[in-house]
């Protein structure tokens, strides 16, 4: 199943199978297994022009071995009809700074990129960021 | 009595402008010319790739030709165009400052590129067409252009 994830100015797609839970962000720093919880707003994490959202956000929670990553978004919906996903052009996929985008689909005739949310969470847990976020975080 | 005149076959080229320089692509590698529209950015993509667009169901990667050829970035304006190029199995939208014209050039009117070219220009300019009363036009090799994209990002 495919998730439509909305930030303030962008839309992304992700695979539900990458996610452990979808809900509200937690209010604690560690989960019941003692794993540190890392929280990121997905919008500014992926795009420097996408401002942080205020108000109540939704969280995509991905549990890793030693960390839990919560990716916060304005809105998350499960798409009833999965769109056709096209791989990125090889010359682009091979040169992404971090391989967080696996493909693209058309929604309302607009390209929407498909995120590898588990890879993204794993990289965040390792301290990896896109260039534009390194100074901000 | 009719005399036969040997004519060299001509090739169509799409001419375009980047900064104050003129370039051309073989018409056979150009599918369409489009007005600028804001692409969907791809997180982690280099500045040379501003994003993706949909053109009648085909998702195209936009490549900023200025940055690819080592020219300075420039603001978009009304003459900015996207040129849908297709070479073998690769499609892309080349962002250029302006599209000028479609012209035909006989092969014997092309000259080899200057030997003092350096950098990316040396790799992608396959010939030069000197117009009588105007600036020269650098003929781009679409294959070399797409290879350069893969290597330069």
């Amino acid at each position: 199943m495919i998730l439509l994830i909305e930030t303030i100015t962008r839309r992304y797609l992700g695979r539900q199978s990458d996610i452990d839970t979808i809900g509200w962000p937690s209010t604690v720093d560690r989960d019941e297994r003692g794993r540190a919880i890392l929280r990121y707003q997905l919008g500014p994490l992926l795009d420097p022009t996408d401002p942080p959202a205020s108000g109540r956000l939704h969280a995509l929670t991905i549990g890793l071995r030693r960390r839990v990553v919560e990716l916060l978004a304005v809105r998350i919906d499960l798409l009833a009809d999965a769109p056709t996903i096209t791989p990125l052009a090889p010359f682009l996929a091979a040169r992404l700074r971090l391989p967080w985008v696996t493909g693209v689909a058309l929604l309302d005739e607009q390209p929407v990129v498909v995120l590898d949310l588990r890879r993204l969470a794993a990289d965040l847990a390792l301290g990896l960021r896109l260039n534009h976020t390194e100074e901000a975080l | 009595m009719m005399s036969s005149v040997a004519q060299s076959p001509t090739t169509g080229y799409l001419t375009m402008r980047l900064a104050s320089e003129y370039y051309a692509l073989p018409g056979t590698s150009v599918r369409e010319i489009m007005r600028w529209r804001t692409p969907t950015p791809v997180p982690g993509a280099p500045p040379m790739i501003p994003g993706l667009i949909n053109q009648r169901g085909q998702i195209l990667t936009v490549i900023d030709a200025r940055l690819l050829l080592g020219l300075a970035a420039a603001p978009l304006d009304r003459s900015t165009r996207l040129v849908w190029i297709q070479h073998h199995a690769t499609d892309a939208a080349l962002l250029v400052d302006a599209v000028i014209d479609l012209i035909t050039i006989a092969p014997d009117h092309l000259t080899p590129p200057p030997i003092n070219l350096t950098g990316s220009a040396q790799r992608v300019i396959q010939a030069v067409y000197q117009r009588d009363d105007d600036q020269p036009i650098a003929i781009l090799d679409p294959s070399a252009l797409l290879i350069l994209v893969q290597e330069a990002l």
Side-chain angles (χ1 to χ4, degrees):
Chain A
M1 299 291 278
I2 299 294
L3 300 168
L4 175 60
I5 306 157
E6 295 183 41
T7 63
I8 293 286
T9 62
R10 302 281 178 217
R11 297 188 299 171
Y12 299 97
L13 295 173
R15 290 183 170 82
Q16 191 185 23
S17 56
D18 284 345
I19 302 298
D20 295 310
T21 60
I22 302 171
W24 305 118
S26 60
T27 54
V28 294
D29 293 333
R30 292 187 178 273
D31 74 349
E32 67 281 1
R33 289 168 52 186
R35 294 179 296 183
I37 299 174
L38 309 174
R39 254 173 238 106
Y40 299 93
Q41 284 216 23
L42 198 58
L45 183 73
L46 298 175
D47 183 346
T49 67
D50 199 353
S54 56
R56 193 148 197 201
L57 301 177
H58 300 266
L60 300 160
T61 303
I62 300 160
L64 304 169
R65 200 153 63 93
R66 294 188 176 134
R67 301 271 195 279
V68 173
V69 175
E70 289 184 350
L71 300 171
L72 310 184
V74 173
R75 182 181 170 122
I76 301 165
D77 290 303
L78 196 59
L79 292 181
D81 299 317
T84 301
I85 296 173
T86 306
L88 291 182
F91 65 80
L92 173 56
R95 300 294 176 166
L96 293 180
R97 177 168 165 75
L98 291 167
W100 292 352
V101 177
T102 59
V104 59
L106 291 176
L107 289 184
D108 311 322
E109 300 193 357
Q110 292 300 312
V112 180
V113 297
V114 182
L115 300 172
D116 182 343
L117 293 165
R118 188 154 286 274
R119 176 62 186 260
L120 194 159
D123 283 347
L124 290 173
L126 290 172
L128 301 176
R129 309 280 189 277
L130 296 177
N131 269 347
H132 71 266
T133 57
E134 284 175 351
E135 294 174 2
L137 293 174
Chain B
M1 179 178 169
M2 294 180 65
S3 62
S4 64
V5 178
Q7 288 189 330
S8 55
T10 59
T11 304
Y13 292 89
L14 182 75
T15 58
M16 58 197 77
R17 180 178 57 76
L18 293 172
S20 59
E21 300 173 1
Y22 290 87
Y23 295 86
L25 277 166
T28 51
S29 65
V30 175
R31 280 196 61 177
E32 199 168 333
I33 300 159
M34 302 161 282
R35 287 188 182 278
W36 168 258
R37 87 282 304 263
T38 304
T40 299
V42 179
M48 189 190 300
I49 305 283
L52 308 167
I53 60 165
N54 167 31
Q55 181 68 4
R56 288 197 301 278
Q58 172 87 32
I59 296 169
L60 300 172
T61 305
V62 178
I63 300 165
D64 188 329
R66 272 180 172 256
L67 299 184
L68 179 64
L69 295 174
L71 302 170
L76 307 167
D77 61 30
R78 289 171 59 87
S79 62
T80 302
R81 291 292 182 274
L82 295 166
V83 179
W84 180 346
I85 58 172
Q86 185 176 53
H87 189 73
H88 297 314
T90 304
D91 291 85
L94 203 61
L95 170 60
V96 300
D97 290 348
V99 166
I100 307 299
D101 201 0
L102 187 62
I103 60 173
T104 55
I105 306 173
D108 54 1
H109 288 174
L110 296 175
T111 57
I115 56 172
N116 59 350
L117 286 179
T118 57
S120 56
Q122 183 184 35
R123 299 185 53 190
V124 301
I125 296 175
Q126 64 179 15
V128 172
Y129 173 58
Q130 180 60 61
R131 291 179 286 183
D132 292 337
D133 55 352
D134 212 336
Q135 280 186 265
I137 299 174
I139 308 294
L140 298 171
D141 176 353
S143 175
L145 203 66
L146 290 169
I147 290 171
L148 183 65
V149 173
Q150 297 181 50
E151 296 178 358
L153 294 177

